[in-house]
Amino acid sequence: MLLPLTNTTQSNSVASEQLAATAEEINAQIMQLQQMMGYFRVERRPIPRQGPAH
């Protein structure tokens, strides 16, 4: 009865480690993307509203 619980615990541990590694990789990619996007200048101005289509 202890073996299934141990297997489940090990599986959860592996899944948690993989999730943490994936989160770190995504975070690194986000930081890289932010640096690349910093190259562009974006002018902030309101988007004109369009009336209803006729």
Side-chain angles (χ1 to χ4, degrees), residues 1 3 9 15 19-21 26 28 31-32 36 45-48:
M1 181 157 191
L3 187 59
T9 301
L19 183 59
I26 290 172
M31 292 177 74
Q32 187 177 28
M36 291 182 344
R45 57 185 170 152
I47 299 172

Side-chain angles (χ1 to χ4, degrees), residues 34-51:
Q34 286 175 332
Q35 288 176 345
M36 291 182 344
M37 293 303 293
Y39 172 80
F40 298 99
R41 278 192 180 218
V42 178
E43 181 180 327
R44 292 184 181 251
R45 57 185 170 152
I47 299 172
R49 297 181 96 184
Q50 295 181 349

Side-chain angles (χ1 to χ4, degrees), residues 5-21:
L5 182 58
T6 301
N7 289 341
T8 301
T9 301
Q10 288 176 344
S11 294
N12 286 345
S13 177
V14 169
S16 293
E17 289 176 12
Q18 289 173 342
L19 183 59

